[in-house]
Amino acid sequence: MPPRTVAHRSALRHAALVAAAAGAAVAPAAARADSVVIRNATVYPRPGQRLDGATIVIRDGVVAAVGRDVKAPAGARVIDATGKVVTAGFVEPYSTVGLVEVPAVRETVEGRHPNEALPDDDEIHAAYRVTDGYNPASVAIPIARTGGITSVVAVPRGGLVAGASAWMSLADAVTVDAVTVRPVAALHAQLGEGALGVARGSRGVAVERLRELLDDAAAYGRNRRAYERNQSRAFTAERLDLEALQPVLRGRTRLVIVADRASDILAAVALAREYKLSIAIAGGAEAWRVADQLAAARVPVILDPTANLPASFDRIYVRDDAPKLLRDAGVAVALSTLGDAAGARTLRQLCGIAVSFGMAWDDALAAVTTVPAAIYGEAGGARRGTIERGAAADLVVWSGDPFELSTRAEHVFIGGVDQSLRTRQTRLLERYRTL
């Protein structure tokens, strides 16, 4: 490697370490969830519902009350939100926040298979969990919060089966456990162009390998005792990987399949039908072409509305109004930056772009709140993605329409705690504003 390249990579490594240290150094101690009242706000309890001049009461980390005639409890902190908009906190449904610091420096990239420095012919990583490598002190987390994002689904990538994603809160915290909402949100696989490297260059082989893996996992699940006694046939995956696939085969854990080309998407739908799987499509550049089939199979799609160029042979028929076309056909749509850790804060701008190309405003709000919650199983229980009584108090007070570029998040509550909106960048600005 030329000296110049070594120096460049060394500088990047140093920058990543300094950034991480700076982020960790300024992380406050765990905050307490006090009683808070937000009054005179325009509130969207859930997409399609609007309350003008409404009051929200937050107590013990949850929404205690919301409505026009709600009284403020004595002693609560009061925020006057006259002229402001309040929505549920946004969810980035396909993210690498907490997993990637500097994409060009492999030491700061977690959850990518295979690592180019470690040759890896094993394309199955079903047992891998991102919580084992997630960094709650990542400098990307406070930046994402400034975009109104209160949760991310941190996803692994690469291989045929990349492993398990996790629903992670973006609250200030020191430990992974403190921010883990759902340690296994879904299992992730890929077909199409991304799988060609592990499928001998054939799309059909990728589907064949995935089918073989599911067959093996089913056989293992039927007779674990024979496997332990070494009395079963050879399987394509290790025991932990076969074990991790059991909830997927039972329909308890969703399988999210990366696919862009229409034919690959239909292959994923056929696979789900054959094995009775609950799936979602991520990427979905050509999903609009098979929208009716996706709607009939009740398969949601996670896509980036700005990925609108025919950048590969898998994306020849991509178009700007894909979110609208999918919603018109009855497909549940979630919007995402699709793994851009540094750009996660722009999620609300993606919503605005989707609206500008015909997606209904309420559908765009659902695409970053209730739809991700439904895809990853957070619609029940604490009911994340809504501002309703009993829901987790993950919400944002906006200066105006959250999808407008000039709007900013003035308060971001996670678990009822008003989070800091200072980032490493704002601290640098404060430090060097006056030289």
Side-chain angles (χ1 to χ4, degrees):
M1 182 180 293
R4 183 177 179 182
T5 303
V6 171
H8 177 64
R9 291 179 63 83
S10 177
L12 282 174
R13 290 193 193 97
H14 178 71
L17 292 172
V18 170
V26 299
R32 185 168 61 91
D34 297 319
S35 293
V36 178
V37 173
I38 302 171
R39 64 184 183 187
N40 302 324
T42 298
V43 179
Y44 291 86
R46 63 169 48 246
Q49 297 179 5
R50 171 174 168 157
L51 297 174
D52 293 317
T55 296
I56 302 169
V57 177
I58 300 172
R59 186 185 299 117
D60 297 327
V62 300
V63 177
V66 58
R68 294 190 181 91
D69 301 318
V70 173
K71 293 183 179 179
R77 173 193 172 196
V78 177
I79 296 174
D80 185 2
T82 301
K84 314 296 183 183
V85 173
V86 182
T87 68
F90 291 174
V91 181
E92 223 301 356
Y94 196 92
S95 177
T96 57
V97 168
L99 299 176
V100 175
E101 296 294 330
V102 182
V105 181
R106 66 173 181 269
E107 293 87 349
T108 72
V109 176
E110 173 66 28
R112 161 65 78 176
H113 308 292
N115 186 323
E116 68 274 13
L118 302 171
D120 185 1
D121 296 327
D122 178 12
E123 69 270 27
I124 299 168
H125 300 271
Y128 171 81
R129 295 188 178 189
V130 298
T131 50
D132 294 331
Y134 186 85
N135 177 18
S138 169
V139 295
I141 290 174
I143 296 172
R145 279 202 304 261
T146 65
I149 298 174
T150 56
S151 296
V152 299
V153 178
V155 301
R157 299 165 297 156
L160 183 65
V161 178
S165 59
W167 185 297
M168 309 299 291
S169 161
L170 295 192
D172 276 328
V174 176
T175 67
V176 172
D177 289 344
V179 292
T180 301
V181 175
R182 184 175 288 266
V184 177
L187 215 63
H188 293 259
Q190 65 177 330
L191 293 176
E193 187 176 62
L196 297 184
V198 296
R200 305 180 188 90
S202 168
R203 295 171 189 275
V205 169
V207 177
E208 175 195 348
R209 293 285 291 113
L210 198 51
R211 183 180 288 112
E212 182 181 25
L213 175 62
L214 293 169
D215 280 344
D216 284 354
Y220 168 83
R222 287 192 299 267
N223 197 347
R224 287 181 174 86
R225 184 170 297 179
Y227 180 91
E228 297 295 344
R229 293 176 176 174
N230 199 24
Q231 293 176 341
S232 62
R233 61 180 172 80
F235 291 142
T236 58
E238 301 295 331
R239 180 182 62 83
L240 288 178
D241 295 318
L242 297 170
E243 200 67 64
L245 286 161
Q246 299 308 306
V248 173
L249 290 170
R250 298 189 192 104
R252 297 176 184 172
T253 298
R254 195 182 291 272
L255 181 65
V256 178
I257 301 176
V258 177
D260 280 310
R261 200 160 84 172
S263 60
D264 294 323
I265 293 170
L266 290 181
V269 172
L271 202 65
R273 186 184 307 114
E274 180 180 351
Y275 290 92
K276 297 180 173 58
L277 309 177
S278 173
I279 72 166
I281 297 297
E286 295 186 0
W288 65 270
R289 301 186 70 202
V290 292
D292 291 339
Q293 293 92 321
L294 289 168
R298 302 182 68 179
V299 174
V301 175
I302 304 168
L303 56 78
D304 176 356
T306 65
N308 54 7
L309 295 175
S312 72
F313 285 103
D314 276 12
R315 305 166 51 84
I316 292 176
Y317 297 100
V318 67
R319 53 188 292 170
D320 292 302
D321 58 352
K324 174 189 183 300
L325 297 176
L326 287 165
R327 285 300 301 129
D328 288 349
V331 178
V333 174
L335 299 179
S336 170
T337 60
L338 294 180
D340 182 1
R345 63 182 175 78
T346 65
L347 182 61
R348 67 185 188 89
Q349 297 170 30
L350 268 58
C351 293
I353 291 170
V355 170
S356 74
F357 282 101
M359 190 180 201
W361 193 96
D362 287 326
D363 285 340
L365 179 60
V368 290
T369 54
T370 54
V371 173
I375 290 175
Y376 293 107
E378 279 298 310
R383 296 207 308 278
R384 284 178 169 81
T386 69
I387 307 176
E388 297 173 319
R389 185 175 181 179
D394 293 0
L395 52 88
V396 183
V397 180
W398 303 92
S399 62
D401 183 338
F403 301 155
E404 290 289 344
L405 192 61
S406 59
T407 296
R408 61 187 178 89
E410 297 187 348
H411 296 275
V412 175
F413 286 89
I414 302 178
V417 177
D418 198 352
Q419 303 290 316
S420 170
L421 295 179
R422 297 180 73 199
T423 67
R424 182 169 180 268
Q425 286 79 354
T426 62
R427 287 180 171 86
L428 287 171
L429 172 64
E430 292 163 5
R431 180 175 179 179
Y432 295 109
R433 186 195 302 270
T434 305
L435 297 178

